[in-house]
Amino acid sequence: MRTIPLALRYGLGLFLLAATALPPVAQACSRLVYLGADDQVVTARSMDWDAEMPTNLWAFPRGMQRSGEVGPNSIRWTSRYGSVIAATYENSTADGMNEAGLVANALWLEESSYPAFEGSRPGLSIAAWAQYVLDNFATVQEAVQALQAEPFILVSGKLPGLGGVATVHLSLSDAGGDSAIIEYVDGRQTIHHSRAYQVMTNSPAFEKQLAMQEYWQEIGGTVFLPGTSRAADRFARASFYVRTIPKTPNPVKTIASVFSVIRNVSVPFGISSPDEPNIASTRWRTVSDHKRRRYFFESAITPNVFWVDVTRFDFSPATGRPLKLELGPEESNIYSGMVNAQFKPTAPFRFAGFP
């Protein structure tokens, strides 16, 4: 039996202690980045929630005028890149890919706390955080460089559709395979930036998740992998499998492999546990093919995976229009294959704000 170094055992202990002491929330998501053969980079995420989360897909062109939606001192910008996004509650961007191949995923992080918004800098609603990144940057490096300067104060509060204050962290990945995790803990922004940061779950804070990554890289996963739906166990399985699945140049097999991993770390639909209130059913999954600019979507309650070819939308400011794909109650509308033609021109939603 392999002996685990003391430092790794100590780090694992801290991680497990944090994972088992999480507050009773019911939002639990996973995100992973696959780095494959032939320069393939694929990002997958699950959206886990304890109740119906109304979701639709949108395509946004360049040139859209945006506001941080926190009153007169809101940050304002014009979108530089078109994007395809998953909008929740018709008031926030939870996930998406832009035309340059940058992907943003918002995941719940109960440990989040944000700085006070006192007017010294422009504010940005947390509902528009992911969209701000997709609108403005082509790569993780560009985004990290800009966000390190803290051009805005991130503002959170009670969002429509939620029972409490929105607390999320943001993962970024790009076509070159770079990754970053952006969090606000104790009122301060922390950016973890490395190509090696391929996996994250909803909790605890990413620094403690890294202890888990080090442990499993040392022990391996062929003999034992934890199998529950807790964040620590999902992180362990995703970390092992995303590095173990074949590195094939075949794009069809690549997407199939990545889907198999994100399904493996999903929470069965309808499951609930009084003893584990932080576990919630997976409502939907996305898989983003950075190289081919394809954005795949899978609802937990429909039979088909479908996709959007991001390269086939008109994102020009002159002729491009906001387009919407209605997914229906509980994302129950059934689609298959490429669905670009089924998006309909629609007035864009307004991001939830805190005036």
Side-chain angles (χ1 to χ4, degrees), residues 161-181:
L162 296 179
V165 174
T167 54
V168 301
H169 52 173
L170 189 67
S171 69
L172 307 178
S173 49
D174 65 23
D178 200 5
S179 282
I181 313 299

Side-chain angles (χ1 to χ4, degrees), residues 60 64-68 75-79 83 131 135 351:
F60 290 136
M64 293 190 69
Q65 302 299 310
R66 305 285 201 187
S67 165
I75 190 169
R76 299 184 184 278
W77 71 94
T78 301
S79 61
S83 60
Q131 193 65 54
D135 283 352
F351 290 100

Side-chain angles (χ1 to χ4, degrees), residues 179-306:
S179 282
I181 313 299
I182 307 159
E183 298 177 335
Y184 284 82
V185 179
D186 296 327
R188 295 189 300 273
Q189 176 184 255
T190 300
I191 300 178
H192 303 273
H193 179 202
S194 172
R195 182 183 173 90
Y197 298 156
Q198 292 176 250
V199 176
M200 97 173 185
T201 53
N202 55 296
S203 285
F206 191 67
E207 184 175 350
K208 294 178 180 178
Q209 294 186 31
L210 292 178
M212 189 68 167
Q213 176 175 286
E214 186 179 1
Y215 170 81
W216 284 106
Q217 285 178 341
E218 176 68 22
I219 199 172
T222 57
V223 176
F224 167 75
L225 278 173
T228 80
S229 297
R230 292 167 49 206
D233 291 5
R234 288 184 281 111
F235 185 95
R237 295 201 305 279
S239 295
F240 175 72
Y241 286 129
V242 78
R243 293 175 173 87
T244 306
I245 55 177
K247 302 297 189 288
T248 171
N250 184 315
V252 174
K253 291 182 178 180
T254 292
I255 295 300
S257 291
V258 175
F259 258 115
S260 70
V261 178
I262 197 63
R263 289 168 180 150
N264 183 279
V265 297
S266 295
V267 181
F269 188 79
I271 196 171
S272 63
S273 172
D275 298 326
E276 295 286 349
N278 61 311
I279 294 174
S281 297
T282 295
R283 301 281 163 176
W284 47 262
R285 289 170 283 265
T286 63
V287 170
S288 299
D289 184 337
H290 296 259
K291 182 175 181 178
R292 297 167 189 85
R293 307 293 197 269
R294 290 186 177 180
Y295 186 71
F296 295 81
F297 190 93
E298 180 181 51
S299 168
I301 63 171
T302 58
N304 297 326
V305 173
F306 61 89

Side-chain angles (χ1 to χ4, degrees), residues 145-167:
Q145 186 173 351
L147 295 175
Q148 282 175 334
E150 299 193 62
F152 54 78
I153 296 289
L154 192 65
V155 183
S156 188
K158 290 187 177 181
L159 292 175
L162 296 179
V165 174
T167 54

Side-chain angles (χ1 to χ4, degrees), residues 79-144:
S79 61
R80 299 176 57 214
Y81 298 97
S83 60
V84 172
I85 64 101
T88 54
Y89 298 103
E90 290 295 76
N91 63 26
S92 61
T93 295
D95 194 82
M97 169 189 279
N98 72 14
E99 61 182 313
L102 182 68
V103 168
N105 322 101
L107 279 68
W108 198 260
L109 179 63
E110 186 71 16
E111 295 85 347
S112 299
S113 62
Y114 305 100
F117 180 43
E118 299 173 342
S120 59
R121 278 177 286 158
L124 173 68
S125 166
I126 197 170
W129 191 15
Q131 193 65 54
Y132 176 87
V133 173
L134 294 173
D135 283 352
N136 285 292
F137 309 112
T139 66
V140 170
Q141 179 61 44
E142 284 182 18
V144 167

